[in-house]
Amino acid sequence: MTKAAKKHTQQGKMRDLFAEPGARGLAARPARAARAPAAADASSYSARHIEVLEGLEPVRRRPGMYIGGTDEKALHHLFAEVIDNAMDEALAGHATFIEVDLDADGLLTVSDNGRGVPVDPHPKFPKKSALEVIMCTLHAGGKFDSEVYETSGGLHGVGVSVVNALSEHMEVEVARQGQLYRQIFQRGKPLRGLEKLGKIANRRGTRVRFKPDREIFGARVAFNPQRLFRMARAKAYLFGGVEIRWSCAAAQLAGVDGVPQEETFHFADGLKDFIARETEGHTLVHPDVFTGRSGRPGANGAVEWAVAWTADCDGFLSSYCNTIPTADGGTHETGLRAALLRGLKDHAERVGQGKRGAPMTSDDIMTGAAAMISVFIREPEFQGQTKDRLATAEAHKIVEGAVKDQFDHWLAGNPLASNKLLEFVVERAEERVRRRQEKEISRKSAVRKLRLPGKLADCTNTAAQGSEIFIVEGDSAGGSAKQARNRASQAVLPLRGKILNVASAGRDKLAQNAQLADLVQALGCGTGGHYRDADLRYEKVVIMCDADVDGAHIASLLITYFYRQMPALIDAGHLYLAVPPLYRLAHGGKVFYARDDAHRDELLRKEFHANAKVEIGRFKGLGEMMPAQLKETTMDPRKRTLLRVTLADDEREGAADAVERLMGAKAEARFEFIQERAAFASDDVLDV
Ligand code: 1YM
């Protein structure tokens, strides 16, 4: 396999083997409904067939609209447009060879020995030749109802005028009906009229010589010989009937990256030759290449393919429509995949192996397959942003029908190859199922490794910075908090029932407490000597309890727990208390929330008239609040108040004693403690 193909398959990509830039950048490739007798004579096309639409100024103003940008890929579209016109002439049976030459100055010449672009005067513009109209008018091509080609990939006139618009120099020579003509253009405009250079007996065809405009592409963007070489070679593989002569005259360019100075491509066995070259040096499941065709290349509905199965690489699938690469696949690819799968399944049934192993999928049969499919479709439709995917539904049917038929024959006629292939694909299917199971297991164990508690509603942000966890007492409050939170940055961990009184609990009991174990897992930072601030999964740890005695008790238990088990978490300023309201005051459309009795009285004094009948509601707990209320009053960073829990230095020494004293005994004492803490902490109110 070539270097490029290898790299490609290593990356698991399966197409674009020639590394040929999609020739599909031109959004409005007009489809041509056409049917020409292959032997139509040169005069059958005349200037009156040309439809004039618009000038080239829009192309220079917005080149991206026509060639998808102004980078190297876009630059190579210009070549694709020109060679596609020559290719069309060959596909229509009028040309037998195409020459491509890149010279040292970056001038690219493409020629063919076809009929030559029409040169007779245009009926609508009698002073202009058809050639000039084709070259200087956007969307001037053959009339689309004309009888030109059966299929067409190129843009004929449309494409070539775009190339002209974007070239600082363009020269077109036409040898037609024994005469040689020439016209020179600059940036889409004719320098002079059509010149008649004299009689020429031994030559016919079209020669287009151009240099992309540095004003458009910049001075650094230039044709890449290797890319051109591969594009040219691809055309020769795709249409075995044409000979492509490559020359890269510039001595310094010759030999770059294995690009020869001269080479002639003529592949009588087309796609098969290509697959043979690409699989060289690889182990094949069976040396036979499954190859076939239906219809005459270039004729509408014609299809050609070649597939070999390699045992030692991922494989690839290169697909083309009208010799134009379809990098994003499409209906011809789905047709091929369907036919190969159906064919092998039918074969398995025939040889009594239908029930063997895991059911095969088309991925199983395409893994390791080195495949190429080429279709010729009249008026193809392309989809996708870069128009690199064939969308014509008929292509699926045409390909599936032709390939399935011949695959059946191939499998039946090559028992050795077909048995090996079946064996190989069944193994792929089993491997796939095995891998899926392993993945499932490793995913489960990854979850276990992280050991996040089931009731944690985690936030989607993975970074600690900017995320917070609300520790909430009880499932109903937890439910409201889950609805009220910002999923991206706020996690909610409901703790059920009162947590253990940690002050009086021994180390073992602490370790066994399921609520605390959940908390430790959710935080991720470890406890005691194992605490690591860097592992803390949230920036803020917010204790959110009811604004009553019980809530204060639970909050105090939690603070005590943090103080004893993760003092560094408090020191680093991660621990906060949420301040849910206790009262809702409403009158005349005004609503206020008060956190305690004093706040309520203050609001009544300041915000309402003395004799107003203010409606005062008292929340029994967080679980009673509507999620929207909880969000607005307590959780929304733009509106809430948080109290940061800190330990002042002078309290630090006595804190252990204080906790001991207060936690060990009466509930009222605990309550005082938390009130004190809160009061102390409120100096620290953070507007987060
Ligand atoms: C190196 C590029 O463009 N060859 C070429 C182009 C045309 C013809 C022949 C041609 C086509 C027809 C009749 C026809 C073009 N024709 C048109 C247009 N080589 C290259 N060779 N006679 C000659 O389509 O019937 C545009 S290009 F507009 F006339 F269709």
Side-chain angles (χ1 to χ4, degrees):
M1 204 166 281
T2 60
K3 234 196 217 164
K6 257 190 218 146
K7 185 167 163 235
H8 199 76
T9 50
Q10 275 156 12
Q11 289 168 346
K13 276 179 131 190
M14 303 252 298
R15 56 174 64 94
D16 194 19
L17 204 68
F18 304 114
E20 182 175 346
R24 173 116 312 89
L26 309 176
R29 183 181 292 277
R32 328 176 97 227
R35 165 105 235 352
D41 72 12
S43 59
S44 71
Y45 193 94
S46 70
R48 82 196 135 78
H49 287 98
I50 294 154
E51 239 179 3
V52 176
L53 295 167
E54 52 180 308
L56 293 179
E57 236 358 82
V59 183
R60 291 189 59 80
R61 245 183 286 128
R62 305 180 69 185
M65 289 261 298
Y66 299 85
I67 55 167
T70 53
D71 56 2
E72 196 191 292
K73 183 176 177 186
L75 180 84
H76 288 80
H77 278 321
L78 304 186
F79 170 56
E81 288 310 319
V82 178
I83 196 170
D84 282 347
N85 282 346
M87 200 67 190
D88 277 347
E89 190 66 355
L91 286 172
H94 299 296
T96 56
F97 70 80
I98 295 171
E99 288 177 331
V100 179
D101 174 73
L102 177 65
D103 79 8
D105 300 326
L107 266 145
L108 186 61
T109 307
V110 184
S111 41
D112 64 56
N113 65 341
R115 292 165 295 176
V117 174
V119 287
D120 39 338
H122 192 276
K124 281 196 203 154
F125 310 92
K127 287 202 185 116
K128 288 184 185 173
S129 67
L131 173 81
E132 183 176 328
V133 175
I134 290 167
M135 298 309 295
C136 301
T137 318
L138 193 57
H139 299 155
K143 259 193 182 173
F144 299 141
D145 63 345
S146 73
E147 299 142 15
V148 185
Y149 297 130
E150 288 193 45
T151 60
S152 173
L155 283 181
H156 266 128
V158 179
V160 83
S161 67
V162 168
V163 179
N164 190 21
L166 302 177
S167 296
E168 58 187 53
H169 177 87
M170 157 93 82
E171 235 176 276
V172 185
E173 254 180 41
V174 172
R176 191 176 158 107
Q177 292 165 332
Q179 283 287 341
L180 184 63
Y181 304 85
R182 182 179 65 189
Q183 191 160 17
I184 302 175
F185 307 87
Q186 246 176 22
R187 304 199 159 92
K189 299 217 165 79
L191 260 193
R192 310 183 267 277
L194 181 73
E195 299 168 86
K196 213 168 171 179
L197 299 182
K199 291 219 178 303
I200 188 159
N202 55 355
R203 188 180 132 198
R204 60 172 214 141
T206 308
R207 174 172 298 162
V208 175
R209 189 171 155 78
F210 67 104
K211 178 157 180 142
D213 191 352
R214 280 167 288 191
E215 276 178 15
I216 303 278
F217 297 96
R220 274 178 299 127
V221 179
F223 282 123
N224 173 345
Q226 190 182 47
R227 198 165 181 163
L228 295 177
F229 178 79
R230 291 181 171 188
M231 288 168 77
R233 187 179 55 190
K235 296 286 174 198
Y237 278 120
L238 287 162
F239 184 40
V242 68
E243 180 178 304
I244 297 187
R245 301 171 190 164
W246 161 264
S247 64
C248 193
Q252 72 266 32
L253 291 178
V256 215
D257 302 324
V259 178
Q261 187 158 350
E262 282 191 355
E263 182 141 341
T264 300
F265 309 118
H266 190 189
F267 304 111
D269 282 330
L271 311 194
K272 190 179 172 192
D273 286 345
F274 173 76
I275 293 297
R277 195 194 76 203
E278 287 304 313
T279 54
E280 215 176 87
H282 283 268
T283 313
L284 295 182
V285 174
H286 188 271
D288 283 5
V289 180
F290 165 53
T291 176
R293 71 155 53 127
S294 112
R296 180 175 52 81
N300 185 34
V303 46
E304 210 178 333
W305 65 89
V307 191
W309 280 268
T310 66
D312 58 354
C313 65
D314 287 351
F316 60 84
L317 171 55
S318 288
S319 63
Y320 293 80
C321 177
N322 301 353
T323 80
I324 291 173
T326 38
D328 290 339
T331 45
H332 47 347
E333 285 196 8
T334 58
L336 176 76
R337 296 169 70 101
L340 294 177
L341 178 65
R342 192 68 266 150
L344 195 66
K345 279 189 164 175
D346 288 355
H347 170 76
E349 292 288 342
R350 270 198 306 274
V351 296
Q353 302 268 327
K355 302 271 175 296
R356 248 192 78 193
M360 295 181 272
T361 67
S362 64
D363 278 347
D364 298 329
I365 198 166
M366 295 314 288
T367 305
M372 192 168 179
I373 174 109
S374 163
V375 294
F376 295 90
I377 306 274
R378 187 190 301 161
E379 295 187 60
E381 277 176 53
F382 298 98
Q383 272 180 346
Q385 215 168 20
T386 47
K387 303 270 177 232
D388 281 346
R389 186 170 65 251
L390 180 65
T392 310
E394 209 193 334
H396 179 103
K397 259 200 266 155
I398 293 171
V399 173
E400 189 181 14
V403 176
K404 170 70 167 60
D405 235 35
Q406 297 191 34
F407 196 38
D408 286 347
H409 277 102
W410 187 81
L411 290 168
N414 293 275
L416 205 65
S418 46
N419 288 343
K420 283 226 166 124
L421 182 62
L422 183 59
E423 197 71 26
F424 176 76
V425 178
V426 165
E427 218 169 89
R428 293 284 80 75
E430 281 168 353
E431 200 179 287
R432 172 177 50 79
V433 170
R434 206 169 40 244
R435 262 208 307 272
R436 197 182 56 207
Q437 282 166 349
E438 279 169 14
K439 208 162 142 198
E440 189 70 12
I441 291 166
S442 73
R443 197 181 59 79
K444 277 187 189 149
S445 62
V447 170
R448 231 179 288 132
K449 220 188 253 164
L450 204 64
R451 294 218 321 255
L452 288 177
K455 55 193 173 171
L456 169 72
D458 207 2
C459 52
T460 54
N461 291 352
T462 49
Q465 186 68 35
S467 56
E468 39 195 49
I469 181 168
F470 284 81
I471 302 165
V472 189
E473 198 259 323
D475 282 342
S476 83
S480 296
K482 282 178 189 175
Q483 289 181 60
R485 73 190 175 126
N486 172 343
R487 291 176 149 274
S489 60
Q490 298 182 319
V492 173
L493 178 68
L495 295 181
R496 210 165 305 136
K498 281 193 183 170
I499 63 159
L500 199 68
N501 187 338
V502 279
S504 53
R507 190 181 279 257
D508 288 353
K509 267 207 160 168
L510 267 186
Q512 283 163 17
N513 184 292
Q515 307 292 309
L516 295 174
D518 281 355
L519 177 61
V520 171
Q521 279 166 15
L523 297 181
C525 54
T527 58
H530 301 293
Y531 178 86
R532 265 176 54 91
D533 201 63
D535 291 344
L536 179 60
R537 299 180 60 248
Y538 309 93
E539 188 185 342
K540 292 193 176 82
V541 178
V542 185
I543 297 169
M544 186 161 73
C545 294
D546 291 348
D548 60 11
V549 176
D550 277 352
H553 184 204
I554 290 158
S556 71
L557 288 173
L558 281 165
I559 293 174
T560 307
Y561 176 74
F562 279 110
Y563 168 70
R564 303 190 122 231
Q565 297 296 317
M566 308 176 203
L569 183 144
I570 301 179
D571 278 346
H574 293 302
L575 190 60
Y576 292 82
L577 278 175
V579 187
L582 191 56
Y583 297 103
R584 180 178 182 273
L585 315 178
H587 179 70
K590 286 205 285 187
V591 176
F592 291 92
Y593 293 95
R595 44 178 188 273
D596 52 28
D597 291 7
H599 191 205
R600 173 199 60 195
D601 296 343
E602 185 189 324
L603 285 172
L604 283 173
R605 234 183 7 261
K606 286 191 184 159
E607 303 291 345
F608 299 96
H609 283 299
N611 47 4
K613 279 199 161 174
V614 180
E615 193 185 303
I616 304 177
R618 191 178 200 277
F619 294 113
K620 287 206 195 77
L622 295 173
E624 235 196 26
M625 291 170 85
M626 304 284 284
Q629 279 177 332
L630 184 57
K631 181 182 179 129
E632 190 188 336
T633 59
T634 319
M635 292 179 75
D636 185 346
R638 288 166 303 185
K639 298 187 182 148
R640 72 187 181 193
T641 299
L642 286 186
L643 304 179
R644 188 192 295 220
V645 177
T646 60
L647 284 168
D649 279 346
D650 58 342
E651 293 181 10
R652 198 171 283 271
E653 279 172 20
D657 285 349
V659 170
E660 214 73 51
R661 179 166 46 84
L662 295 165
M663 292 295 107
K666 300 179 294 175
E668 309 83 73
R670 291 173 195 151
F671 181 49
E672 278 167 16
F673 172 74
I674 193 69
Q675 291 291 304
E676 268 175 36
R677 285 284 119 218
F680 156 70
S682 64
D683 291 341
D684 250 26
V685 167
L686 293 180
D687 280 326
V688 197

